[in-house]
Amino acid sequence: MVTPVEAAVESLRQISTEPPVWLVPKQELSQAVRAASKLLFASLKPHCTKSPFDELLIEGFDAEQIWQQIDLQSQPLLSSLRREVKKFEKHPEEISKLKVDVEGGKKKVLEEIETENVVVNDDDDEDDDIDMDEEDEDEEEEGEEKEKGREEESENEGEEKGGIEDKFLKIKELQEYLEEDEAREFGTNKKKRKAETKKHEEDTEDEEEEGDDEENEDDTDEAEEEEEDELGLFGGDDESDEDDLGNARYEDFFSRKKSKDSEDKAKYRDMLEEDSGSDDEHVDKKVKNQRKDGLSKHEKELDELRSKIEQMEKANLDPKVWTMRGEVTAAQRQKNSALEVDLDFEHNVRPAPVITEEVTASLEDLIKTRISEGLFDDVQKAPTLSSKAPREVKELDDNKSKKGLAEIYEEEFVQKTDPASAPLTFSDELKKEASMLFKKLCLKLDALSHFHFTPKPVVEDMSIQTNVPALAMEEIAPMAVSDAAMLAPEEVFSGKGDIKEEAEMTKADRKKRRANKKRKFKAKAAKRPRANTSVRNSDEGSKV
Amino acid sequence: MLRRNIRLRREYLYRKSLEGKERLLYEKKRKIKEALLEGKPIPTELRNEEAALRQEIDLEDDYTAIPKTHIDDEYANATIRDPKILLTTSRDPSAPLVQFVKELKFVFPNAERMNRGGQVISEIIESCRAHEFTDVILVHEHRGIPDGLIISHLPFGPTAYFGLLNVVTRHDIKDKKAMGTMPEAYPHLILDNFKTKLGERTANILKHLFPVPKPDTKRIVAFANRSDYISFRHHIYEKPGGPKSVELKEIGPRFELRLYQVKLGTMEQSEAQIEWVIRPYMNTTKKRSFIGNDHESDDKRKKIKA
């Protein structure tokens, strides 16, 4: 009789497992896989009571939708399986019962499962560029495989052990490794607990196997692993709770508070972890619960933390290191302690130049170019101002003199007797002007530089002499003023005859004066040209 | 002598105070000259003084046209007469310092070395003024290594304070036969990369330590400025193969000078005005170059006046 399972398996086997085939999406491949999954679905149908689908709907459906259908069917299945496993955990004797019943019939199936597991593993080992369809198919298969596997395994564990082992996975090795690990962590109490925990270990082994499978899978299978862990956790919790509640003591709560906390924390951590290594911990936790002493990993960490805190507090209380103390002189720190510290500050000065070969060479090059060009920065001699005036070169005039000899003699005579009246020659005038200017300049300079003041030279030219005391002219600050006047009386007033003031005049003198005036005026008027005589005559006639 | 000195100082200060006014006048004359050249109308602010200024412009010649500063006054007589230098050290010099000063005496032509003994600076400067010296150079040291140089120009001239670095003296070079004697001809000078105003001033100070050379001397003294560090090099050259090939032979000490102060009076005038002082703790000192240009090429073209 061909069971639905066998049919499904057969269909699966028909699908080629060559990896290259799976690289390129092909229509017939996906069709075959879909058909196989449909059969698998049908095979599982009898076990699901609450499944909404009668069969897996494939035609025209997306990979995502097919997966959703499978998911819908398998979720309640998972929970029922969980319950079963829990039951078996609590009552291990039932497993052995199951084992005996099913041993013969299921062996073949187990082998099939084994091969399928291998197949699945191979599929899993393919590349990541597999098409989504194919990935989904894989997941579907594995999910279903796992469910089946779990079912079978929970029924006959003893056989499974022998059946599941292959060249890569040795249960005995696993067991030893686990024991070693726990011994390393917690001491040597493992051996004692071995009997009790054997079942747990088997569970963990199973879970680990599935975990191994899953490690090759995609990430979407994490949830299932976590569920397994939770399963284990719940199982463990039930046990530990039972123990504690039974023998609850003060010490458990208040002296062993740390262990409880650490246990909770371990639980929390386990839930977050994905690794199968977490399985170790909840096993260990159970172990620890059964022993009342010993330190968990967490406790050890706490101890370290505590010691660190103590150190830091001690450091805070001590006086500070000299580097942290602000301005520190040499007297306040140890000898040579500044040499050990890496003092780093910005220098605001350019460092002194290190004279290397290149620098010397560049300087020499510069010097050589300057030499070859002849460009030097020597001191230049300033152009000296000649101190002497240019000598007058007297040119002898060859031309015949324009003046006669008599005229020349005449001029010389005139010059001797009366130098002022002689007509000045052209060059003489210029010379005179120049010498005048120069004399003025020299006078000013002398006044500035000499202590003795020499008065202005008397320049013979017509100038008005003012009637000022003579000493006032010669001295700036005259000590005494003399009455002697500069001018002679006739120079003051040159007048003729008897001079009388207005008050002194007699009547006859006044008359005489007036008569003189009139005479002069008449003489003047006679001289003036007569203009407009006709008008004048009439006026004069009226006036007189 | 005292009164003469006082009078000279007063003249100097008076002329310094006139510089501002002279500069204004110079600017006005310059504007008028430009306007006349270009044919543009004279600027309105100068209309009143235009006639008088124009007269002055006509009377000017090359010498009077440029406004003179007190700085020029300091070196006015330098070109007429050869410089006369006095070299001394700080008190209690060590033997290496004395050797270094001996070398410097040969570097500067017309230089005299004097033992310091216990003289005070003011005495030294007074006596130098009396003997018509033009410059006084003081060398300081640190444990045998010369580390300071102070150059003071004498009639009230500027004083430049340098720090010495990387000093290599002739005495360090053991092989005396190879070195030979130092030639004492007046050297040609090379001053490179003294571009800023302060750079020109420093170049002036260093230049006037040397007399006017003959055009065909073979001795070269080079002051090259690289990022405010002035390198002093002293060479003899010859042209073995034609005019274009030049072979240099280094003689004389080599050191780096680092200017840190310029004062407007002589060394003993402690209250003299500071023209420039280095500020190493200013945040932007590293980015600025005070003596020359660090970023442009170092070619300095100059017309040689016949």
Side-chain angles (χ1 to χ4, degrees):
Chain A
M1 186 186 81
V2 181
T3 60
V5 178
E6 286 168 358
V9 166
E10 192 55 41
S11 64
L12 269 178
R13 211 173 278 141
Q14 279 165 9
I15 301 169
S16 118
T17 56
E18 297 295 314
V21 179
W22 293 89
L23 282 173
V24 180
K26 280 198 204 135
Q27 196 59 24
E28 54 270 18
L29 202 53
S30 72
Q31 289 288 350
V33 174
R34 281 190 193 200
S37 62
K38 189 166 178 182
L39 286 170
L40 282 169
F41 192 89
S43 71
L44 274 179
K45 180 76 181 55
H47 300 285
C48 306
T49 47
K50 298 185 218 163
S51 160
F53 302 106
D54 288 337
E55 58 169 15
L56 188 67
L57 305 164
I58 300 177
E59 293 83 24
F61 277 99
D62 210 1
E64 189 60 37
Q65 288 164 335
I66 295 172
W67 171 244
Q68 286 288 341
Q69 291 175 41
I70 294 170
D71 208 23
L72 265 175
Q73 196 209 41
S74 51
Q75 284 294 348
L77 200 56
L78 277 172
S79 47
S80 66
L81 282 172
R82 232 180 268 144
R83 260 182 278 122
E84 295 278 307
V85 171
K86 256 194 233 173
K87 201 172 59 171
F88 288 130
E89 275 182 344
K90 286 183 195 163
H91 309 283
E93 56 276 11
E94 288 190 24
I95 300 172
S96 44
K97 272 193 231 159
L98 276 171
K99 264 193 231 175
V100 171
D101 287 334
V102 222
E103 212 174 84
K106 299 287 180 181
K107 209 171 185 181
K108 196 171 106 191
V109 179
L110 279 174
E111 285 167 358
E112 289 172 350
I113 292 168
E114 197 186 341
T115 51
E116 278 154 5
N117 269 339
V118 173
V119 162
V120 159
N121 281 340
D122 288 340
D123 289 342
D124 291 337
D125 292 338
E126 281 167 6
D127 268 353
D128 288 340
D129 347 347
I130 297 172
D131 193 22
M132 268 305 281
D133 275 348
E134 295 150 0
E135 279 180 304
D136 287 338
E137 305 302 341
D138 281 342
E139 285 163 26
E140 290 163 28
E141 290 164 29
E142 283 155 352
E144 283 155 24
E145 288 299 331
K146 221 190 333 183
E147 290 157 24
K148 261 202 290 164
R150 211 175 292 148
E151 273 183 312
E152 318 298 349
E153 286 162 7
S154 63
E155 287 170 352
N156 45 1
E157 289 193 57
E159 280 299 315
E160 276 172 4
K161 264 204 277 188
I164 284 169
E165 272 193 14
D166 57 9
K167 57 177 176 169
F168 295 115
L169 186 63
K170 303 252 187 293
I171 300 293
K172 279 221 178 70
E173 281 182 16
L174 241 170
Q175 222 168 335
E176 284 164 19
Y177 170 73
L178 282 173
E179 283 171 31
E180 273 177 51
D181 204 35
E182 282 157 12
R184 197 170 25 93
E185 281 206 56
F186 306 118
T188 52
N189 285 334
K190 241 2 223 158
K191 295 275 174 10
K192 272 192 237 168
R193 306 295 164 203
K194 199 180 172 190
E196 290 182 25
T197 59
K198 197 176 178 204
K199 175 180 64 92
H200 301 295
E201 284 172 3
E202 289 169 351
D203 280 346
T204 62
E205 283 162 30
D206 302 335
E207 288 159 357
E208 274 173 345
E209 285 169 2
E210 290 166 355
D212 288 337
D213 294 347
E214 287 170 0
E215 269 161 15
N216 298 329
E217 287 173 2
D218 295 329
D219 298 340
T220 51
D221 282 325
E222 286 167 10
E224 294 179 342
E225 255 195 299
E226 280 172 31
E227 286 162 18
E228 290 174 8
D229 287 348
E230 276 164 28
L231 269 176
L233 279 169
F234 292 144
D237 271 352
D238 291 341
E239 286 220 27
S240 65
D241 282 344
E242 277 192 30
D243 284 343
D244 286 348
L245 284 170
N247 313 325
R249 295 234 165 97
Y250 176 81
E251 297 94 45
D252 295 337
F253 290 95
F254 294 101
S255 64
R256 299 304 309 271
K257 204 166 48 167
K258 295 167 200 168
S259 66
K260 270 217 166 173
D261 285 344
S262 60
E263 188 187 337
D264 292 335
K265 283 184 189 155
K267 251 191 269 174
Y268 186 64
R269 252 187 305 131
D270 290 343
M271 282 170 59
L272 295 175
E273 270 174 51
E274 305 161 24
D275 267 349
S276 54
S278 65
D279 296 328
D280 284 342
E281 273 149 38
H282 67 80
V283 169
D284 299 331
K285 185 175 25 86
K286 283 182 215 135
V287 170
K288 183 208 35 175
N289 285 332
Q290 269 123 37
R291 299 179 275 140
K292 300 289 173 150
D293 56 336
L295 297 166
S296 68
K297 204 164 156 189
H298 178 76
E299 282 212 317
K300 280 197 181 167
E301 286 179 16
L302 276 184
D303 277 337
E304 278 177 44
L305 258 177
R306 236 176 292 134
S307 62
K308 264 193 212 162
I309 289 169
E310 272 178 41
Q311 263 184 5
M312 287 170 75
E313 281 178 354
K314 187 166 162 291
N316 274 343
L317 288 173
D318 286 338
K320 288 189 186 175
V321 188
W322 72 267
T323 46
M324 288 286 135
R325 248 189 278 154
E327 287 189 12
V328 182
T329 58
Q332 292 160 12
R333 51 165 207 257
Q334 283 178 338
K335 194 175 174 187
N336 290 338
S337 55
L339 293 173
E340 293 141 21
V341 179
D342 186 19
L343 297 170
D344 186 25
F345 46 89
E346 261 188 42
H347 294 265
N348 258 338
V349 205
R350 277 196 217 100
V354 178
I355 302 301
T356 55
E357 291 283 334
E358 299 145 5
V359 175
T360 326
S362 72
L363 285 173
E364 289 193 352
D365 282 338
L366 166 79
I367 295 171
K368 280 182 193 170
T369 49
R370 287 289 201 99
I371 291 170
S372 53
E373 289 168 3
L375 284 173
F376 300 115
D377 300 303
D378 300 328
V379 181
Q380 305 285 338
K381 240 192 157 56
T384 50
L385 295 164
S386 53
S387 45
K388 287 188 209 163
R391 268 194 308 154
E392 259 187 34
V393 181
K394 283 192 178 160
E395 281 179 12
L396 285 172
D397 208 8
D398 288 343
N399 299 333
K400 189 172 149 193
S401 163
K402 295 217 170 59
K403 292 183 203 167
L405 199 61
E407 285 171 355
I408 293 172
Y409 285 150
E410 187 192 338
E411 276 175 19
E412 276 183 28
F413 182 71
V414 163
Q415 259 187 356
K416 274 184 205 163
T417 50
D418 193 7
S421 61
L424 296 164
T425 56
F426 181 68
S427 60
D428 280 341
E429 278 178 15
L430 276 180
K431 276 188 192 170
K432 270 231 161 95
E433 201 187 330
S435 62
M436 286 298 296
L437 286 170
F438 188 67
K439 272 184 191 166
K440 276 188 200 160
L441 182 67
C442 280
L443 184 72
K444 283 188 190 156
L445 287 173
D446 288 342
L448 280 174
S449 53
H450 294 157
F451 278 122
H452 308 288
F453 175 68
T454 39
K456 275 187 191 174
V458 176
V459 175
E460 286 183 8
D461 53 10
M462 303 250 272
S463 63
I464 299 163
Q465 297 265 15
T466 51
N467 191 13
V468 170
L471 277 175
M473 295 290 287
E474 278 162 12
E475 284 180 9
I476 293 171
M479 289 295 115
V481 182
S482 83
D483 290 341
M486 279 285 284
L487 297 171
E490 52 268 17
E491 287 172 44
V492 176
F493 171 72
S494 56
K496 291 178 205 146
D498 197 15
I499 300 153
K500 278 187 183 176
E501 273 198 17
E502 198 59 44
E504 289 176 334
M505 276 194 180
T506 60
K507 199 161 184 189
D509 290 324
R510 284 201 199 104
K511 281 204 174 198
K512 206 172 140 189
R513 198 177 61 185
R514 185 170 158 75
N516 268 340
K517 254 200 234 167
K518 276 175 91 172
R519 227 180 287 132
K520 278 183 191 164
F521 184 67
K522 273 193 181 151
K524 245 195 253 169
K527 266 203 210 160
R528 242 192 284 133
R530 290 166 203 222
N532 291 341
T533 43
S534 57
V535 179
R536 266 295 139 105
N537 284 335
S538 62
D539 278 346
E540 275 181 350
S542 62
K543 260 192 187 171
V544 176
Chain B
M1 178 70 179
L2 261 171
R3 277 209 271 175
R4 175 165 163 256
N5 283 339
I6 292 166
R7 175 175 59 94
L8 286 173
R9 238 187 95 85
R10 240 192 255 139
E11 276 179 16
Y12 170 71
L13 289 170
Y14 173 69
R15 237 176 275 144
K16 222 169 48 132
S17 74
L18 281 183
E19 266 170 45
K21 290 184 212 161
E22 274 195 25
R23 190 141 273 276
L24 270 177
L25 258 177
Y26 171 71
E27 285 299 312
K28 285 183 190 168
K29 283 185 203 166
R30 195 180 52 83
K31 279 191 202 160
I32 290 177
K33 266 191 243 173
E34 275 176 23
L36 287 171
L37 272 174
E38 292 170 15
K40 283 190 184 169
I42 297 164
T44 49
E45 62 265 15
L46 299 169
R47 255 192 239 144
N48 292 336
E49 308 139 352
E50 186 248 322
L53 286 175
R54 199 96 70 100
Q55 233 186 9
E56 280 186 40
I57 292 170
D58 290 334
L59 293 170
E60 267 176 10
D61 63 355
D62 293 328
Y63 187 70
T64 47
I66 311 163
K68 299 287 173 201
T69 57
H70 62 278
I71 296 170
D72 299 313
D73 280 341
E74 288 159 355
Y75 288 103
N77 290 329
T79 52
I80 298 172
R81 293 191 307 192
D82 277 353
K84 200 167 156 194
I85 301 176
L86 182 81
L87 275 163
T88 29
T89 63
S90 47
R91 289 197 189 179
D92 287 332
S94 60
L97 181 67
V98 175
Q99 287 168 0
F100 181 65
V101 172
K102 266 194 221 165
E103 286 172 26
L104 279 187
K105 178 175 169 255
F106 289 112
V107 168
F108 300 108
N110 219 355
E112 279 302 317
R113 189 194 71 82
M114 187 175 78
N115 285 335
R116 176 66 189 273
Q119 295 157 356
V120 189
I121 295 260
S122 47
E123 284 174 20
I124 299 176
I125 301 233
E126 284 298 317
S127 59
C128 285
R129 277 208 202 106
H131 289 276
E132 308 270 330
F133 277 88
T134 57
D135 292 274
V136 170
I137 299 184
L138 226 76
V139 188
H140 289 255
E141 65 158 340
H142 168 70
R143 293 184 70 120
I145 304 168
D147 76 340
L149 193 76
I150 308 175
I151 303 176
S152 208
H153 186 69
L154 263 189
F156 336 106
T159 315
Y161 295 78
F162 295 95
L164 292 176
L165 304 157
N166 299 340
V167 179
V168 176
T169 63
R170 272 165 63 98
H171 282 83
D172 292 343
I173 303 163
K174 297 295 176 186
D175 196 356
K176 278 203 180 143
K177 295 286 171 63
M179 288 302 292
T181 55
M182 184 115 109
E184 293 199 35
Y186 292 176
H188 276 301
L189 284 181
I190 293 177
L191 294 161
D192 183 51
N193 199 14
F194 288 85
K195 299 247 167 83
T196 63
K197 277 196 83 67
L198 177 70
E200 302 278 350
R201 181 85 158 124
T202 319
N204 234 352
I205 293 172
L206 292 170
K207 200 154 79 160
H208 286 110
L209 292 169
F210 295 89
V212 183
K214 284 197 203 143
D216 57 346
T217 50
K218 299 278 180 208
R219 199 174 145 204
I220 303 268
V221 165
F223 292 95
N225 171 36
R226 302 274 177 272
S227 71
D228 288 356
Y229 287 92
I230 305 170
S231 305
F232 170 89
R233 298 285 182 273
H234 188 196
H235 293 275
I236 292 180
Y237 75 88
E238 53 181 54
K239 298 189 173 177
K244 283 303 163 187
S245 72
V246 177
E247 277 219 2
L248 288 176
K249 183 182 165 212
E250 184 159 358
I251 52 168
R254 70 148 78 151
F255 43 86
E256 318 295 316
L257 293 159
R258 190 178 175 218
L259 179 73
Y260 65 84
Q261 199 177 61
V262 178
K263 271 195 171 173
L264 281 175
T266 51
M267 252 192 287
E268 94 264 1
Q269 293 165 355
S270 53
E271 70 288 343
Q273 185 187 348
I274 297 178
E275 187 180 327
W276 180 79
V277 70
I278 194 176
R279 303 218 179 265
Y281 300 107
M282 204 165 73
N283 280 340
T284 50
T285 333
K286 212 166 26 165
K287 305 173 198 167
R288 296 173 65 182
S289 39
F290 293 96
I291 296 183
N293 233 327
D294 281 339
H295 306 293
E296 290 178 13
S297 67
D298 296 335
D299 263 331
K300 187 178 170 187
R301 300 278 163 184
K302 197 177 112 181
K303 271 189 285 183
I304 301 178
K305 291 180 187 169

